[in-house]
Amino acid sequence: MGLFQLPGSGWMVTARDLALIDRLWRQWSPSLSLDPALQAELHEHLRASMPAPLKYYRGLLRPGMLGAMRRLSARTPMSAFEKR
């Protein structure tokens, strides 16, 4: 997620009792509901392990990766991804 690459993203994630995490859960998994007790446990573990959960996403776009991804996508025709 590009948002996690931005300075201050740790604050955005933890603001309002991890409201962003709850929003992403609802957006990415609309058919899955999370029991309130499990949600509280998830929040507890995320708060205790910050900023490690964000470092995963920050590590996805290392210097040079964006350029490599652009070069690769320029060589791959979109028809290669279409269903046949």
Side-chain angles (χ1 to χ4, degrees):
M1 241 188 109
L3 171 68
F4 299 141
Q5 307 298 324
L6 300 174
S9 61
W11 175 84
M12 287 184 264
V13 169
T14 57
R16 298 180 330 158
D17 194 30
L18 297 165
L20 177 62
I21 299 300
D22 294 335
R23 179 176 180 220
L24 292 175
W25 180 280
R26 288 189 308 272
Q27 186 176 356
W28 292 346
S29 305
S31 63
L32 300 175
S33 61
L34 187 59
D35 180 82
L38 291 175
Q39 181 183 27
E41 186 178 344
L42 171 66
H43 284 197
E44 179 184 333
H45 288 290
L46 284 173
R47 275 192 290 275
S49 61
M50 281 297 171
L54 299 180
K55 287 183 178 181
Y56 168 81
Y57 291 98
R58 290 177 181 155
L60 292 176
L61 289 179
R62 294 185 306 266
M65 290 295 292
L66 191 56
M69 290 170 55
R70 285 184 181 146
R71 287 190 299 276
L72 181 61
S73 65
R75 288 187 229 150
T76 307
M78 289 307 292
S79 60
F81 299 104
E82 293 175 358
K83 284 187 172 183
R84 294 176 191 244

